[in-house]
Amino acid sequence: MVDETVPIRSDGPAGSVVALLDSPEIAQLTAELEGLRWTGRKGYPIRSLVGACLAKSLYAIPTWRRTAALIGEHPVLQDANGGRPSVFALYRFTKKLRTHKPLLDACIDRVTAALQQELPEYGQDIAIDASDLPAFANGQRYLRKNGPERERFSDPDASWGHRSATSTRKHGGYYGYKLHAAVCARTDLPVAWHVTTARTNESSQVGRLLDAV
């Protein structure tokens, strides 16, 4: 269960979910995804599923299970989201977004274009760095100490890598991915990004990010 002390206010992230869902860029994506539905059992509204994705990002929630629990426990967020999708629906929707990635990429392009119109300084000065994205999976080579090697991994796309120390965490190895991002130094908004496995060196992705910028 999600801690009930998590603040939900209409003028906070919940209000931001409504504003983002009503924006022309997100509204177009919702309409395009709605048009991909076929006849059969009616599922959760696309708007609710997109809203759950936005809530997951705004609250920086690492898993869909916790996202579904948070939405289910807070009526204000349910009203803002237009529903309370199940965790299984959210996982299915994630797969759908990956399948129709060009629609999501086009939406992000519309958002960045709108940002450039509103913020002329957006993207003029760029800072490039990478952040660790640990996988919720077991990446150990052996099933147990002195036991046989693992043959199946729950997240076979992830890999082992190294991350730097922060104020609350020591440096060391982790199992997962890396988010390589080019960020506007004036507005702190992302301009371009790319996800790789954890073993990828940051310097190898600079050219790709600059091309995207």
Side-chain angles (χ1 to χ4, degrees):
M1 300 293 288
V2 175
D3 190 348
E4 286 284 1
T5 61
V6 175
I8 304 290
R9 303 184 337 214
S10 60
D11 60 342
S16 299
V17 170
V18 175
L20 289 171
L21 285 171
D22 291 338
S23 67
E25 296 82 12
I26 304 297
Q28 182 176 337
L29 173 65
T30 302
E32 292 171 344
L33 292 172
E34 192 72 49
L36 296 173
R37 283 191 162 180
W38 53 85
T39 58
R41 178 183 174 185
K42 185 177 181 180
Y44 294 95
I46 294 294
R47 180 182 172 91
S48 296
L49 296 170
V50 174
C53 293
L54 296 172
K56 183 177 186 293
S57 177
L58 289 170
Y59 284 101
I61 305 174
T63 65
W64 284 121
R65 181 186 63 80
R66 292 175 60 182
T67 303
L70 178 66
I71 296 174
E73 292 177 1
H74 292 283
V76 174
L77 192 54
Q78 292 175 35
D79 293 340
N81 192 43
R84 46 180 301 181
S86 69
V87 63
F88 306 104
L90 294 175
Y91 275 111
R92 290 194 297 268
F93 186 64
T94 304
K95 182 179 179 180
K96 185 173 185 176
L97 286 178
R98 288 198 300 265
T99 303
H100 302 285
K101 186 176 180 296
L103 295 181
L104 186 59
D105 291 340
C107 176
I108 294 174
D109 288 341
R110 292 193 296 270
V111 171
T112 53
L115 284 172
Q116 282 189 316
Q117 292 181 352
E118 294 291 331
L119 305 170
E121 70 275 19
Y122 172 68
Q124 291 187 8
D125 297 321
I126 296 294
I128 295 178
D129 201 359
S131 299
D132 57 285
L133 293 174
F136 284 83
N138 190 337
Q140 297 298 326
R141 180 178 177 182
Y142 297 97
L143 289 174
R144 57 185 179 275
K145 186 176 181 179
N146 299 324
E149 289 192 15
R150 188 181 302 276
E151 296 181 358
R152 297 177 58 187
F153 292 84
S154 57
D155 194 345
D157 294 329
S159 68
W160 284 96
H162 186 275
R163 59 187 174 189
S164 302
T166 66
S167 59
T168 59
R169 185 196 67 210
K170 296 192 301 182
H171 70 280
Y174 74 99
Y175 185 70
Y177 303 87
K178 275 185 182 177
L179 172 61
H180 306 264
V183 179
C184 175
R186 299 189 182 188
T187 64
D188 292 332
L189 294 171
V191 180
W193 56 90
H194 178 59
V195 178
T196 67
T197 62
R199 67 164 59 98
T200 305
N201 188 279
E202 293 94 309
S203 61
S204 66
Q205 302 300 308
V206 172
R208 178 173 183 167
L209 288 173
L210 291 176
D211 290 342
V213 170

